[in-house]
Amino acid sequence: MAESVNHPSHYQQGGMEVIDVIEAFTKECNASEAFYIGNVIKYVCRFKKKNGLEDLKKARWYLDRLIGSYETAEKEDFECKRKKVLDALQKREFE
C-alpha cells in the first residue's frame, strides 16, 4: 500500500519520479505558474500508464490556463505602459 501512495508506478519512468521533475522545473516559478506547470508535467508523464487521452486533455487545460495568464499579464503590462505614455503626453500639454 505504501508504494502506491508514496511511489505510484504511473509516476515513475527511467529511474525518475514525476514529483522530482516537477520540483526541479518549478523552483523559480511563482505559485500559480508552478501549479499549472506541475499539472501539465504530471498529466503528460502519466497518460500512457493511467488515463490516456483524458490525461492529455487535462494537461492541455492546465497549459491553456498558463498561456492565458501570460496573455493577461502581457495585456495588463501593455495597458499600464500605454497609460504612462498618455499621462506623460497629457502632462506636456498643460506645461
Side-chain angles (χ1 to χ4, degrees):
M1 175 70 172
E3 288 302 303
S4 65
V5 172
N6 295 321
H7 306 286
S9 63
H10 56 273
Y11 288 132
Q12 297 181 32
Q13 184 72 33
M16 295 181 287
E17 287 202 45
V18 173
I19 190 69
D20 297 325
V21 174
I22 291 170
E23 287 174 351
F25 277 87
T26 59
K27 272 186 179 160
E28 297 178 15
C29 296
N30 66 42
S32 62
E33 288 173 332
F35 178 75
Y36 295 139
I37 292 167
N39 278 294
V40 170
I41 293 169
K42 173 180 73 173
Y43 287 119
V44 168
C45 288
R46 78 177 202 183
F47 88 98
K48 284 192 175 188
K49 293 183 177 182
K50 195 158 184 201
N51 297 321
L53 184 59
E54 179 183 339
D55 279 347
L56 291 176
K57 288 179 179 182
K58 288 178 182 179
R60 180 174 58 192
W61 189 87
Y62 283 103
L63 183 57
D64 287 342
R65 297 284 295 206
L66 178 63
I67 291 167
S69 72
Y70 272 85
E71 289 172 340
T72 299
E74 283 181 358
K75 185 177 179 184
E76 288 172 356
D77 186 49
F78 172 79
E79 288 300 321
C80 181
K81 288 177 183 174
R82 181 178 164 274
K83 185 179 180 331
K84 285 180 183 178
V85 168
L86 291 175
D87 288 347
L89 290 172
Q90 200 171 39
K91 210 176 191 182
R92 281 187 173 176
E93 284 181 16
F94 294 110
E95 287 181 351

